[in-house]
């Protein structure tokens, strides 16, 4: 079975989702990041897997469901950190980030029987998922990250290595306020949508308890 990897940052104000400020405050942005991460982890928890690994920059919190190994991210650029995550796997692995809370177990249930790699493009030009039947860190090292051509370069790297690449649906990452509203509309019953509903449009302080759906989506 496949190892599922989630690479993420601890959702602390000022350290995550800084492009959401403004209109949201750093605290609200961190709350949205936490909800996105929780939705992602619960989708992974509901997906059949050999192992579930959270590759984390920071410390785990109450948002972490049971059944996950937690390992620290290595130093270096994002390409190095992704490469190191795959280097820790000895069999088929699928890696995703924390920016697509609309992800579902159905999307994450991949089969490597007739392909060597799975590639999930993101609307911003990056990628939200990368799966490798035989994890090779060299396939990621040196790929320019966080650019409009990141996804194209990464996919071409796979093709140039002679891999049979299968594509997952294109998804939208949550980077901006517009992204947040669009993604929440795609998964209106998730933790992320509930958290966003508690954030005033102007990004002012949130009052009252935050609604949290019970259990995975």
């Amino acid at each position: 079975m496949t190892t599922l990897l989630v690479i993420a940052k601890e959702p602390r104000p000022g350290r995550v989702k800084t492009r959401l400020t403004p209109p949201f405050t750093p605290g609200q942005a961190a709350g949205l990041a936490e909800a996105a991460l929780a939705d992602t982890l619960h989708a992974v928890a509901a997906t059949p897997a050999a192992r579930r690994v959270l590759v984390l920059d920071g410390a785990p919190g109450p948002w972490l469901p049971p059944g996950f190994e937690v390992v620290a991210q290595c130093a270096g650029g994002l390409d190095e950190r992704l490469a190191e995550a795959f280097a820790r796997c000895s069999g088929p692995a699928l890696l995703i980030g924390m920016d697509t809370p609309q992800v579902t177990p159905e999307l994450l249930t991949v089969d490597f029987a007739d392909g060597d790699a799975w590639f999930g493009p993101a609307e911003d030009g990056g990628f939200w998922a990368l799966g490798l039947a035989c994890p090779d860190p060299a396939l990621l090292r040196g790929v320019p990250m966080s650019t409009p051509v990141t996804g194209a370069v990464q996919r071409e790297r796979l093709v140039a290595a002679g891999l049979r690449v299968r594509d997952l649906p294109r998804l939208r990452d949550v980077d901006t306020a517009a992204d947040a509203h669009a993604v929440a509309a795609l998964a209106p019953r998730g933790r992320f949508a509930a958290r966003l509903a508690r954030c005033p449009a102007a990004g002012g302080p949130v009052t009252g308890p935050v609604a949290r759906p019970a259990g995975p989506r």
Side-chain angles (χ1 to χ4, degrees):
M1 294 181 71
T2 302
T3 293
L4 295 179
L5 304 161
V6 179
I7 189 161
K9 286 184 179 180
E10 179 187 357
R12 293 174 55 191
R15 296 189 69 248
V16 291
K17 295 297 163 205
T18 55
R19 290 175 61 187
L20 291 178
T21 56
F24 302 111
T25 68
Q28 289 172 336
L32 290 169
E34 178 179 331
L37 179 54
D39 276 345
T40 301
L41 293 173
H42 279 82
V44 170
T47 305
R51 298 167 60 205
R52 298 175 183 86
V53 183
L54 175 61
V55 186
L56 184 63
D57 176 4
W63 37 263
L64 178 65
F68 281 81
E69 303 170 41
V70 180
V71 299
Q73 291 184 25
C74 70
L78 181 55
D79 63 320
E80 288 289 343
R81 287 177 278 143
L82 296 178
E84 177 62 21
F86 277 109
R88 295 172 174 175
C89 301
S90 59
L94 178 73
L95 180 145
I96 65 172
M98 60 183 285
D99 299 335
T100 50
Q102 72 272 43
V103 75
T104 64
E106 290 74 23
L107 283 174
L108 300 179
T109 304
V110 298
D111 185 356
F112 288 97
D114 58 351
D116 305 307
W118 283 88
F119 183 78
E123 288 190 4
D124 63 2
F127 59 93
W128 67 269
L130 178 63
L132 298 172
C134 297
D136 180 358
L139 293 170
L140 293 106
R141 292 192 176 111
V143 172
M145 296 289 163
S146 303
T147 79
V149 299
T150 293
V153 173
Q154 181 63 76
R155 194 182 190 286
E156 179 55 34
R157 179 77 70 88
L158 304 177
V159 173
L163 303 185
R164 298 168 298 163
V165 181
R166 299 188 63 185
D167 292 304
L168 290 160
R170 185 179 302 273
L171 296 186
R172 185 168 183 167
D173 288 334
V174 174
D175 290 319
T176 67
D179 294 332
H181 288 285
V183 168
L186 295 173
R189 298 179 62 188
R191 295 164 182 78
F192 182 79
R195 187 65 180 84
L196 181 64
R198 301 295 300 167
C199 295
V206 176
T207 58
V210 175
R212 294 182 183 273
R217 284 182 289 146

